[in-house]
Amino acid sequence: MGCDQPLSQLAIGQPAIVPTGDGKVRLRTSPIGAAPEDFWWFKDGIQITNDLRVSGANTAELSIKSFAPSDAGFYHAIVTNSFGSITSTVVQLRPHFVDAASVTPLTPFTNWTTAAMTIQDAIDAADFGDLIIVADGIYSIGGKV
């Protein structure tokens, strides 16, 4: 291959979690190589389809509106071009929910019923790469120096 020849084979890494601040959770792939022709997103091994909450199931960016506990899981993408297909590595979405009005907080805060009352409590329960999903409200306590 010469220095001016484009890469025809596809290459793809782990999907990135894209923070947006608009209440949506987005996953994005960045394949390199000849122009991708098809994208397919999968959750827990099952192909995702677009609906009222999910869009981009056949694009480089999957968007989940109003992220819910049932959206937690393992995600990957398959991308094809005229030279073949490739599967991304898997990314796990592990949410921890926060609601200032929660009456039954229970670590690790994996749903709205057991949501943390403070953002700091959810952060303390989280591992690197986990998601913190925060309900609307005023959060004036909690926090560490």
Side-chain angles (χ1 to χ4, degrees):
M1 177 182 274
C3 64
D4 290 336
Q5 290 176 301
L7 179 65
S8 56
Q9 298 294 326
L10 283 168
I12 190 171
Q14 183 175 22
I17 301 169
V18 181
T20 60
D22 62 1
K24 295 180 182 176
V25 172
R26 291 185 171 99
L27 295 173
R28 182 179 299 146
T29 64
S30 298
I32 59 171
E37 296 173 359
D38 293 303
F39 286 87
W40 296 285
W41 282 96
F42 293 80
K43 177 189 175 270
D44 298 330
I46 299 170
Q47 188 173 349
I48 298 171
T49 57
N50 293 322
D51 58 25
L52 294 175
R53 291 184 51 250
V54 176
S55 62
N58 299 105
T59 69
E61 185 172 284
L62 179 71
S63 179
I64 305 168
K65 184 170 83 173
S66 301
F67 192 86
S70 60
D71 295 317
F74 296 90
Y75 290 79
H76 73 276
I78 295 178
V79 183
T80 66
N81 70 8
S82 57
F83 295 95
S85 68
I86 192 162
T87 302
S88 73
T89 56
V90 174
V91 65
Q92 182 179 10
L93 293 183
R94 295 178 306 249
H96 302 275
F97 293 83
V98 182
D99 185 350
S102 178
V103 294
T104 54
L106 180 64
T107 303
F109 316 115
T110 57
N111 59 61
W112 289 117
T113 303
T114 63
M117 293 177 66
T118 70
I119 296 169
Q120 186 64 56
D121 286 345
I123 291 170
D124 291 344
D127 289 323
F128 179 78
D130 287 359
L131 295 172
I132 307 296
I133 310 295
V134 181
D136 290 343
I138 297 172
Y139 297 88
S140 58
I141 60 169
K144 293 183 179 176
V145 175

